């Protein structure tokens, strides 16, 4: 195209290759997890570490890639769930230890309808990114049920998005939280369309690109997706 340099072409093609590779990785994860979730986690860790170390589109700064090693909590099979996506107006029971009490009233929208929300973006001043809140899941953690909202990224193509914060942030994990689903970048663990469910496996929780280099701008989890309990699964700091 007019105005593009050879470097622009190379960068665009390597980005396309990165997305293609990540898409294939999550397809393999979904296939493996049907019979062996632990093998799916191991495969995800191995492939991602190699990409972060060797791929030109790695979010890790170039001078740190050769020595890059990923760090993860031990695999916890109890943190894999297939959950029904609930309307936003479904009542929330703030049982003792649930992590819901004390965070203030939650506005789930009139009649359970999806509502627009702008999520703040890291490293970009007052910038925000547009999403729709369309549902929620109640997760039966051992410490008691917690509720997380689900988002759909606005704009071309869109995609499911589930960011969260928990009590490990700032010490064991990136301070601004982690992502579990980001379908715009192919991070999708599957679900049952007819049953209205999504698979959430916190062993696949990962730190956004801005955890590795502040040049990246990443949407952040809102207050409704901040958990008081530590989620010691998935990617962690070294």
């Amino acid at each position: 195209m007019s105005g593009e340099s050879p470097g622009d072409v190379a960068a665009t093609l390597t980005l396309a290759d990165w997305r293609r590779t990540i898409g294939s990785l999550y397809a393999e994860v979904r296939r493996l997890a049907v019979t062996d979730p632990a093998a799916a986690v191991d495969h995800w860790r191995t492939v991602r570490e190699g990409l972060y170390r060797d791929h030109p589109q790695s979010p890790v700064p170039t001078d740190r890639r050769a020595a890059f090693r990923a760090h993860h909590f031990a695999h916890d099979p109890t943190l894999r769930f297939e959950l029904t996506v609930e309307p936003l107006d479904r009542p929330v029971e703030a049982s003792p230890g649930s992590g819901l009490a004390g965070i203030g009233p939650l506005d789930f929208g009139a009649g359970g309808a999806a509502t627009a929300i702008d999520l703040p973006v890291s490293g970009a001043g007052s910038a925000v990114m547009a999403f729709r809140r369309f549902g929620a899941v109640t997760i039966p953690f051992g410490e008691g049920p917690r509720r997380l909202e689900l988002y759909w990224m606005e704009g071309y193509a869109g995609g499911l998005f589930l960011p969260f914060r928990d009590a490990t942030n700032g010490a064991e994990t990136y301070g601004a939280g982690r992502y579990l689903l980001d379908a715009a970048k192919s991070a999708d663990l599957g679900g049952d369309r007819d049953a209205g469910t999504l698979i959430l496996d916190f062993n696949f929780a990962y730190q956004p690109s801005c955890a590795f280099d502040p040049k990246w701008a990443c949407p952040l989890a809102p207050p409704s997706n901040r958990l008081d309990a530590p989620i010691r699964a998935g990617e962690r700091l070294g």
Side-chain angles (χ1 to χ4, degrees):
M1 292 184 182
S2 176
E4 282 193 338
S5 69
D8 294 330
V9 172
T12 300
L13 291 179
T14 58
L15 177 58
D17 180 73
W18 172 275
R19 292 189 176 181
R20 189 181 304 123
T21 304
I22 292 292
S24 296
L25 171 60
Y26 274 90
E28 293 163 359
V29 161
R30 291 190 293 271
R31 177 182 59 80
L32 287 169
V34 171
T35 56
D36 194 343
V41 171
D42 286 342
H43 181 62
W44 177 78
R45 292 178 178 180
T46 300
V47 173
R48 285 182 79 255
E49 182 177 273
L51 285 170
Y52 276 53
R53 187 168 55 245
D54 302 326
H55 199 282
Q57 286 290 334
S58 169
V60 178
T62 305
D63 61 352
R64 290 167 40 202
R65 289 178 189 170
F68 176 77
R69 295 295 181 273
H71 300 277
H72 302 89
F73 293 102
H75 177 247
D76 185 344
T78 70
L79 291 176
R80 179 180 177 85
F81 310 94
E82 182 166 3
L83 302 171
T84 299
V85 177
E86 307 161 356
L88 289 170
D89 63 349
R90 178 167 174 170
V92 181
E93 295 182 5
S95 57
S98 69
L100 297 170
I103 64 173
L106 301 180
D107 175 13
F108 293 122
T115 57
I117 182 172
D118 290 332
L119 297 185
V121 174
S122 70
S126 59
V128 295
M129 190 175 293
F131 291 82
R132 282 189 296 112
R133 302 161 61 244
F134 73 91
V137 287
T138 300
I139 306 167
F141 290 121
E143 301 86 351
R146 267 73 169 174
R147 185 176 172 104
L148 293 175
E149 291 184 351
L150 295 162
Y151 306 96
W152 184 265
M153 186 178 294
E154 297 284 39
Y156 181 73
L160 289 169
F161 185 55
L162 178 51
F164 71 96
R165 297 189 187 188
D166 69 276
T168 68
N169 295 162
E172 297 169 281
T173 61
Y174 180 52
R178 292 178 287 169
Y179 296 168
L180 190 53
L181 302 179
D182 185 359
K185 296 183 179 178
S186 300
D188 186 345
L189 299 174
D192 187 316
R193 179 192 63 190
D194 295 330
T197 63
L198 288 174
I199 293 173
L200 303 183
D201 186 338
F202 287 85
N203 294 286
F204 291 94
Y206 66 95
Q207 297 173 126
S209 297
C210 50
F212 303 97
D213 191 332
K215 77 174 185 179
W216 300 99
C218 306
L220 306 177
S224 55
N225 276 26
R226 295 176 184 175
L227 304 173
D228 67 328
I231 306 301
R232 293 191 171 92
E235 193 172 50
R236 60 174 297 170
L237 299 174

